[in-house]
Amino acid sequence: MSPHASLEARLPRPPGVLRRALAAHPLALDVTIVVFYFLGCALFGTVDVFSGSTAGAAGPYDAPPGTPSYLTWPLLLVTILRFLMVAAALLFRRRFPLLGLIAVLLASTGDLSVQGVPNAVALCFLLYAVPVYRSVPAGWFGYAFAVIASGAQLFIPGVADSLVFDTETGGGSTEPATLSTFFGPFLMSAIWMLAILMLGINIGNRRRYLEAIIGRAHQLARERDQLAQLAVAEERSRIAREMHDIVAHSVSVMIALSEGAARAATVAPEAAADAMQRSAETGRTALAEMRRLLGALHSPDETSIDLVPQPGVKDLETLVRGFTDAGLQVSLRVEGEAAGDRGQELAVYRIAQEGLTNVLRYAGTGACAEVTAALMQDLTVVEVRDHGRTPGDTATVSGVGSGRGLAGLAERVRMFGGSIESGPVPAHEGSGWRVRAVLPVNADARETGRLA
């Protein structure tokens, strides 16, 4: 069994072996019903022949005495056509139940003597099938049509007269049928068909309800899988952003320190050695962060992870100090206090980190930058601005950019419902580049920070 088998949606099996077999082979069931219909026709046709109930009613051609009229030539062709119509209606009752019901009612028109019993049973099957395989309104329409057709059937000469009995002889009366003669059979027929309709409506509603439940279960299973895939994609995107922030920042600082050490190697060996030492420390720090980030992808039994808090607003000073060591002239101004949302504090830190990394990468060492974090009650505003490249300084590391930094920042800010702007500083405000992000403060985080 696969490890995900227990997570799959389990649907109840239909009770009973017979129901499962019938549900699995609907065509075999339909064919069986048609076969039994033909057997019933043959049985009741034999009863009509041997009972002699219609003796002397043979057609114009010579026929054995007692042969029913519907079995004499040429009515025999009409009878066969009727049987085939009813058989086709039974066979395709799942696809065309209403049309099949109309066909059975038409095939039952006229005097069929005892042979009308199989058609009456077929009518019950079709009347039941309409609300089951179509809808409740279609079932009521079929019921109304069946009641009207049955009532009209009682007024056909020969059929109506057979309902009037002579109590003295025990046979059919020669007196014509009256309206009171039809009321009893018509009422019983309507009640019987109503009972069948109610059964079909009940079964049809239950069938549609179960189909809706099963469809909903499958939909929930699909949505669960889609949500799992989205969660995986979101986690991959988060890891990619974190990896970019760690690698881009660390590599940019290490390149700046290494280039500064190379220039100072001959004139100031001690300063060059100190710069290389800071570059090595930056690399070790980046490697440790990457290990923690990648270690979070493993299960707890595979590796032990050193859990350390994510950087936040309080770590901005350390971040600025690192860029200052790399050659930037950075000033930091933090106004207000953090609300206590660690996720948002990490976003503030990453915004400042990405902004300063871009300053080092494109403006070069010696550039001046300002980092401002305004921590207000409802908003957090982070701004990183530089004043352009220092004249005569060409030491930049623009070749290591991936183009994903600002896109990652925009995604971070979007997760908190904020906005971010980046672009050149307007000419009337000076020169350089500015990154400015506005993050709304979560109410729960404000309450947590106030309690702390």
Side-chain angles (χ1 to χ4, degrees), residues 227-355:
L227 289 176
Q229 294 175 0
L230 290 176
V232 171
E234 184 177 356
E235 183 65 14
R236 288 178 177 175
S237 177
R238 185 190 68 83
I239 294 174
R241 290 196 304 269
E242 294 293 334
M243 291 291 290
H244 171 271
D245 293 337
I246 294 172
V247 174
H249 159 253
S250 302
V251 171
S252 298
V253 172
M254 291 171 64
I255 290 176
L257 290 172
S258 300
E259 289 179 346
R263 290 195 300 268
T266 56
V267 295
E270 295 182 359
D274 183 64
M276 293 302 298
Q277 182 64 31
R278 290 198 301 268
S279 177
E281 291 177 358
T282 302
R284 281 192 292 267
T285 302
L287 184 60
E289 291 184 7
M290 291 176 60
R291 283 176 177 172
R292 283 195 297 268
L293 182 61
L294 296 177
L297 301 177
H298 299 279
S299 58
D301 56 349
E302 292 180 359
T303 183
S304 59
I305 305 172
D306 295 332
L307 299 179
V308 296
Q310 293 277 17
V313 176
K314 295 181 180 180
D315 299 290
L316 289 177
E317 294 182 2
T318 304
L319 176 68
V320 169
R321 190 179 307 116
F323 279 98
T324 301
D325 293 340
L328 292 181
Q329 300 180 24
V330 185
S331 63
L332 173 65
R333 186 172 74 255
V334 178
E335 302 173 356
E337 296 182 358
D341 189 339
R342 297 298 301 173
Q344 191 172 100
E345 287 194 39
L346 175 61
V348 171
Y349 182 88
R350 295 303 186 194
I351 292 170
Q353 184 183 56
E354 178 64 24

Side-chain angles (χ1 to χ4, degrees), residues 5 51 97 100 104-105 108 141 143 156 167 194 232 257-258 285 349 354-355 357 360 378 390-391 401 410 420 433 436:
S51 64
V104 171
L105 290 173
S108 302
F141 175 79
Y143 170 75
I156 297 178
T167 56
L194 180 62
V232 171
L257 290 172
S258 300
T285 302
Y349 182 88
E354 178 64 24
T357 300
L360 179 62
D378 299 324
T390 302
I420 186 171
W433 191 273
R436 187 175 187 272

